[in-house]
Amino acid sequence: MVADKTTILVVEDEPAIVELVSFALREAGWNPVAVNNAGDAWDFIQRRLPHMILLDWMLPDQTGLRLLSRIRADRNFNELPVIMLTAKSMEEDKIAGLDNGADDYITKPFSPRELTARINALLRRKRPDHSQSMMRAGEVTLDPVSCNVSLKDQKIDIGHAEFKLLKFFLAHPDRVFSRSQLLDKVWGDHVVIEERTVDVHVLRLRKVLKEAEYLIKTVRSVGYMLSEK
Ligand code: CA
């Protein structure tokens, strides 16, 4: 089975809220990882890029707003979806958060249902590859729910990395990505994997796609793209 859970980094110092939020996220099928200060959050995203951050406004070491500015100033993270959590419902806070690049903002106390609805809406908006609908190109289909990939309705065996790569390409057809972009966007971890590894996985992906390998194009001296043309 291919594990492809959406990882959500929860940056919050109040244990009761961490517990509530983590429970709600797990129930919704996501993978929550919690840290209780801005420094640990920053360290975490250097090692592993989450799909989204839930960021508390008041943290022990610095404000969530300050961390948000730092995230947005870094080109590796400026697309990362961020929802601010705040105990205050003051309009100026909301505006400051959105000005600094928050994608959305939730006022405490909130219900788990409200939280998951807002996360779902943001994931849909920011990351079309996280939608739950069938993805296809040519005679290849990928089911994001069951994680099955089929060629002419025959299920094919595919490795975890090749699955993630294919899913990313299907979500962004006809767009060329460099090896480093693929590393950032598909693996979300620029420490462990080298750019050469991308070539290896592209090679393997083409192999499992058999006659549909033509979908994955090499764009000389730039990178790779998926295209039916
Ligand atoms: Ca707090």
Side-chain angles (χ1 to χ4, degrees):
M1 189 201 133
V2 181
D4 195 50
K5 276 197 174 179
T6 299
T7 297
I8 300 180
L9 180 63
V10 181
V11 190
E12 166 66 81
D13 58 318
E14 287 165 68
I17 295 181
V18 172
E19 201 175 316
L20 172 90
V21 167
S22 300
F23 181 78
L25 297 188
R26 267 195 295 274
E27 287 287 292
W30 296 310
N31 173 37
V33 180
V35 294
N36 58 18
N37 63 69
D40 286 353
W42 184 254
D43 288 346
F44 182 91
I45 63 173
Q46 306 296 320
R47 293 192 317 264
R48 183 174 163 203
L49 194 63
H51 296 91
M52 170 178 293
I53 300 182
L54 289 181
L55 179 57
D56 185 33
W57 192 283
M58 296 298 287
L59 293 165
D61 51 346
Q62 57 175 252
T63 65
L65 196 61
R66 184 133 178 222
L67 176 62
L68 176 64
S69 305
R70 198 173 171 194
I71 289 169
R72 286 296 179 249
D74 189 312
R75 66 177 177 82
N76 287 318
F77 309 127
N78 56 14
E79 294 286 312
L80 190 54
V82 176
I83 296 180
M84 295 287 295
L85 304 177
T86 172
K88 309 175 213 171
S89 60
M90 291 164 71
E91 196 62 16
E92 48 266 45
D93 284 348
K94 180 179 176 180
I95 291 164
L98 296 175
D99 275 353
N100 278 273
D103 296 291
D104 199 355
Y105 136 93
I106 301 179
T107 307
K108 298 176 197 171
F110 48 81
S111 69
R113 184 179 293 189
E114 182 188 2
L115 178 69
T116 53
R118 301 282 275 276
I119 292 172
N120 258 322
L122 183 55
L123 286 174
R124 267 201 306 273
R125 205 160 84 222
K126 294 278 271 197
R127 304 261 314 213
D129 49 332
H130 273 78
S131 67
Q132 300 292 293
S133 52
M134 292 288 274
M135 306 166 89
R136 65 185 81 232
E139 300 197 90
V140 175
T141 55
L142 183 152
D143 180 347
V145 177
S146 68
C147 296
N148 285 332
V149 176
S150 305
L151 173 65
K152 293 182 182 165
D153 299 322
Q154 291 288 308
K155 191 178 167 229
I156 59 178
D157 275 331
I158 185 165
H160 182 52
E162 290 74 54
F163 176 86
K164 288 209 298 186
L165 189 59
L166 177 62
K167 190 174 170 190
F168 179 79
F169 278 134
L170 287 169
H172 305 90
D174 299 309
R175 273 178 60 187
V176 185
F177 294 95
S178 69
R179 289 167 180 81
S180 68
Q181 282 174 322
L182 290 171
L183 274 184
D184 273 357
K185 291 176 188 293
V186 178
W187 281 269
D189 186 334
H190 8 174
V191 179
V192 185
I193 308 170
E194 293 168 38
E195 291 196 5
R196 276 283 306 148
T197 313
V198 174
D199 299 330
V200 174
H201 290 298
V202 167
L203 207 70
R204 287 188 193 158
L205 176 58
R206 284 183 172 139
K207 206 168 161 195
V208 297
L209 292 180
K210 299 188 184 109
E211 65 260 44
E213 64 154 7
Y214 73 91
L215 290 169
I216 311 297
K217 316 275 198 248
T218 303
V219 182
R220 263 188 71 181
S221 71
V222 184
Y224 298 103
M225 71 188 286
L226 178 143
S227 178
E228 292 185 41
K229 287 163 217 153

